[in-house]
Amino acid sequence: MKSWTPMSMILVTVVALTACNTTNEEEPVNQNNERVNENQPVGEEDETNTIEGFNEEWTEVAIVQEEVDDTITRVDMQNDRGGSRVILYFTDEEGPRYKSILVKEESRIKIISINEDGEGEIFNEVVEDQL
């Protein structure tokens, strides 16, 4: 019976480890190397840049518009996976001014003022009848 040489053992180990470590699961990105929302159907453009183009299923956008004094000019959905949805709201200022968090299981919407002179949480209610 032929015994394994140390070099043969190293070669077999490297091949086995390489085979175990091969995955093709990369985070999906668009042409600009930006993250892609996996919930968005393929071929559809992201229309969340302006407030007029927001997804009408996001009822929290209307609630934010009612609750805040500022004019929201742009929305940017950050997360719509699992049990929550997070949307950032922009005014004419450079950065985001508000953030909404929808806790889907509870039908709870939280609105937070996130700019430097913001007041923190400004809304936190269950809104079952509005969803």
Side-chain angles (χ1 to χ4, degrees):
M1 179 171 196
K2 188 175 184 182
S3 66
W4 290 86
T5 65
M7 189 59 140
S8 298
M9 290 175 55
I10 291 172
L11 182 61
V12 169
T13 304
V14 168
V15 170
L17 289 174
T18 303
C20 292
N21 197 24
T22 304
T23 64
N24 290 333
E25 295 181 29
E26 295 180 12
E27 177 121 2
V29 294
N30 65 11
Q31 295 170 347
N32 298 328
N33 249 1
E34 300 169 333
R35 268 187 329 181
V36 175
N37 181 355
E38 290 179 344
N39 296 333
Q40 181 174 338
V42 175
E44 279 191 22
E45 292 297 319
D46 184 9
E47 56 183 38
T48 62
N49 289 339
T50 62
I51 192 70
E52 293 82 23
F54 78 89
N55 187 329
E56 293 180 6
E57 293 178 16
W58 302 345
T59 56
E60 61 265 43
V61 173
I63 294 171
V64 169
Q65 287 181 305
E66 289 175 16
E67 292 294 322
V68 301
D69 294 333
D70 290 335
T71 302
I72 304 297
T73 57
R74 184 168 65 96
V75 297
D76 183 17
M77 201 240 289
Q78 297 293 300
N79 176 32
D80 192 8
R81 295 184 183 151
S84 66
R85 178 168 49 227
V86 177
I87 302 175
L88 294 179
Y89 300 84
F90 296 79
T91 61
D92 291 332
E93 298 175 15
E94 282 186 30
R97 179 137 168 101
Y98 302 97
K99 173 171 60 172
S100 69
I101 303 167
L102 169 65
V103 182
K104 295 176 182 178
E105 188 175 296
E106 297 177 25
S107 299
R108 177 177 299 279
I109 294 178
K110 298 178 183 182
I111 303 171
I112 303 166
S113 178
I114 58 175
N115 67 347
E116 60 191 41
D117 59 336
E119 56 200 73
E121 185 174 273
I122 56 177
F123 185 87
N124 184 354
E125 293 183 17
V126 174
V127 290
E128 281 183 42
D129 55 327
Q130 297 179 30
L131 296 179

